């Protein structure tokens, strides 16, 4: 599958999972108990409202819940079914590079983490597909997968 279709699927998927995850994390910050502390901001002494220990716990729980949701989404849909909502929208799918079958939950999750690695060095891992003979970015190479038109 070409770069444009993959980019379109990526944008759709991150809207599908990013908006609910962002709302969940926002709720965590909104309901977290806070306390007033003395602080210095930009050289000025004042009072700041900061989360309590329990507040940071609530924030951490909502962040972890959002992360679990994202991992499940990509592991289940991309790994087990071969298509996320974004990939269905642009008619592409993720398959094993040798068998052409879905890659499974574990490799779907591995591919998700590989995406994060692909983005670290100025998105070089994503752009790699532009000159790779098999059009594979780093995260596809990591889990032996390919994205094909469906």
């Amino acid at each position: 599958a070409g770069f444009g279709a993959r980019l379109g699927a990526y944008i759709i998927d991150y809207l599908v999972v990013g908006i609910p995850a962002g709302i969940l994390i926002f709720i965590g910050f909104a309901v977290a108990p806070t306390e007033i502390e003395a602080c210095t901001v930009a050289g000025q002494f004042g009072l700041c409202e900061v989360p309590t220990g329990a507040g940071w716990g609530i924030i951490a729980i909502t962040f972890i819940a959002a992360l679990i949701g994202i991992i499940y989404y990509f592991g289940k849909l991309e790994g087990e079914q071969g298509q996320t909502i974004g990939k269905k929208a642009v008619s592409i799918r993720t398959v094993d590079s040798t068998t052409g079958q879905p890659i499974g939950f574990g490799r779907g999750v591995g591919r998700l983490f590989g995406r994060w690695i692909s983005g670290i060095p100025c998105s070089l891992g994503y752009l790699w597909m532009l000159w790779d003979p098999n059009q594979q970015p780093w995260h596809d190479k990591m889990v032996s997968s390919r994205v094909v038109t469906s």
Side-chain angles (χ1 to χ4, degrees), residues 37-49:
E37 283 186 1
C39 63
T40 303
V41 178
Q44 299 293 317
F45 179 78
L47 298 175
C48 296
E49 188 175 1

Side-chain angles (χ1 to χ4, degrees), residues 127-137 141:
L127 299 173
W128 198 264
M129 71 166 291
L130 297 173
W131 54 81
D132 184 79
N134 296 319
Q135 289 188 315
Q136 287 178 297
K141 290 185 176 299

Side-chain angles (χ1 to χ4, degrees), residues 45-115:
F45 179 78
L47 298 175
C48 296
E49 188 175 1
V50 296
T52 63
W56 283 116
I58 290 169
I59 292 166
I61 289 168
T62 58
F63 179 80
I64 291 167
L67 182 61
I68 289 170
I70 292 167
I71 290 169
Y72 183 78
Y73 175 85
F74 285 101
K76 180 73 173 172
L77 295 183
E78 187 166 51
E80 292 182 3
Q81 298 175 10
Q83 284 185 305
T84 58
I85 293 169
K87 281 189 167 68
K88 283 182 185 177
V90 298
S91 300
I92 59 176
R93 70 177 46 252
T94 302
V95 297
D96 181 275
S97 60
T98 55
T99 67
Q101 298 300 311
I103 59 176
F105 187 88
R107 286 171 62 197
V109 172
R111 190 172 186 277
L112 171 64
F113 287 114
R115 278 189 185 142

